[in-house]
Amino acid sequence: MMKIAVIGSGNVGGVLARKWIDSGHTVLIGARFPLSEKNMKLAEFIGEDRFISIEDAVFQSEIILIATPATSAIEVAKSLGNTDGKIIIDSMNIVMGRGPVGYTNTTQAILDHTNTLDIVKCFNTTGFNNMLDPQYANEKLDLFVAGDSEKGRNAAIQLAKDAGFADCFAIGGNDKFELMEQFAFFWINLAMFQGQGRNIGFKLLKR
Ligand SMILES: NC(=O)c1ccc[n+]([C@@H]2O[C@H](COP(=O)([O-])OP(=O)(O)OC[C@H]3O[C@@H](n4cnc5c(N)ncnc54)[C@H](OP(=O)(O)O)[C@@H]3O)[C@@H](O)[C@H]2O)c1
């Protein structure tokens, strides 16, 4: 079982925290305002004791999920404290140009502002509604992960399965962070701008 710090407990972080607790992981929520009204709503499902400061949550964990707005990527990365030897999973997307200044993806920004190299991008290519329920008729959706870190990729793949996805496919190294964001925008475009709605998702077919 893994010790996970969830930084950003909104749509994505809140759902994944609940999923990972249900699958037996130790989950802490690292928050700027641990006892905010929004966090107390989530606490009704997962308990108040998990809500602590960002630095404490990171210190006590081996895996860190970042699920804050992309505009906060650098500020959040700097607020983590010592991340040496820890895995960071980045679920953020720069949408409509709103992201860390000078970057075309959030994961590279985190890599440049933390002291671990084990950083991967995952859980960004589908809506939080699909994280809550990845089941479509008799099939489950797939996820994707990018990053040079093998231990980071393996952790993300396991956590994707633990969240209920069928599989999680590695699409390459750090040079594919941007492709992951473009793929996320492909989903956003279909769901929001082309009118398909949020109940759509990707699955890799093979033969
Ligand atoms: N929504 C989706 O379907 C979806 C799907 C895939 C990926 N994503 C990506 O995932 C990320 C999160 O999306 P979301 O919809 O979950 O957002 P959200 O519901 O708005 O939640 C954002 C969370 O980040 C926290 N936060 C904001 N600024 C922070 C900072 N400077 N330091 C620490 N925490 C901070 C907020 O807490 P407080 O403000 O209360 O501190 C809140 O808990 C985004 O980058 C988004 O692009 C979203």
Side-chain angles (χ1 to χ4, degrees):
M1 287 299 112
M2 303 183 208
K3 290 182 182 170
I4 308 166
V6 170
I7 316 298
S9 46
N11 297 314
V12 172
V15 166
L16 291 177
R18 288 170 62 182
K19 287 295 183 101
W20 292 336
I21 290 164
D22 288 349
S23 52
H25 297 294
T26 302
V27 177
L28 294 169
I29 309 287
R32 294 184 292 185
F33 314 108
L35 301 179
S36 72
E37 206 175 307
K38 264 194 296 181
N39 282 337
M40 285 306 97
K41 284 213 174 106
L42 178 60
E44 286 172 21
F45 296 99
I46 66 175
E48 273 182 37
D49 295 352
R50 300 177 193 277
F51 292 79
I52 57 177
S53 74
I54 294 175
E55 211 162 329
D56 284 348
V58 169
F59 181 73
Q60 294 181 49
S61 302
E62 56 203 4
I63 298 184
I64 302 150
L65 172 80
I66 304 188
T68 63
T71 44
S72 312
I74 294 173
E75 184 192 334
V76 171
K78 287 180 178 169
S79 74
L80 299 178
N82 185 11
T83 53
D84 191 26
K86 298 178 192 283
I87 292 167
I88 298 179
I89 301 175
D90 172 27
S91 74
M92 296 186 285
N93 289 310
I94 300 173
V95 181
M96 314 294 274
R98 288 189 293 270
V101 175
Y103 289 92
T104 53
N105 71 80
T106 55
T107 324
Q108 188 61 47
I110 297 169
L111 195 55
D112 289 350
H113 292 88
T114 51
N115 59 338
T116 177
L117 294 177
D118 292 304
I119 305 185
V120 295
K121 193 168 195 82
C122 191
F123 299 100
N124 70 309
T125 59
T126 200
F128 73 93
N129 57 303
N130 287 327
M131 301 179 203
L132 191 61
D133 181 11
Q135 185 88 38
Y136 279 68
N138 299 323
E139 305 250 53
K140 290 182 171 127
L141 298 179
D142 291 325
L143 279 185
F144 303 89
V145 59
D148 289 347
S149 165
E150 189 182 358
K151 78 173 187 178
R153 288 195 308 270
N154 287 342
I157 289 167
Q158 185 59 51
L159 288 172
K161 291 177 182 172
D162 291 345
F165 288 88
D167 211 338
C168 178
F169 295 93
I171 71 152
N174 292 1
D175 62 329
K176 298 294 188 297
F177 289 155
E178 204 169 328
L179 184 59
M180 287 287 283
E181 294 211 12
Q182 288 163 345
F183 193 47
F185 197 70
F186 193 92
W187 184 91
I188 293 166
N189 175 57
L190 270 177
M192 314 294 176
F193 304 132
Q194 305 304 322
Q196 294 293 338
R198 299 187 69 93
N199 284 308
I200 57 168
F202 299 122
K203 181 155 195 71
L204 194 68
L205 300 181
K206 280 189 186 178
R207 65 182 170 195

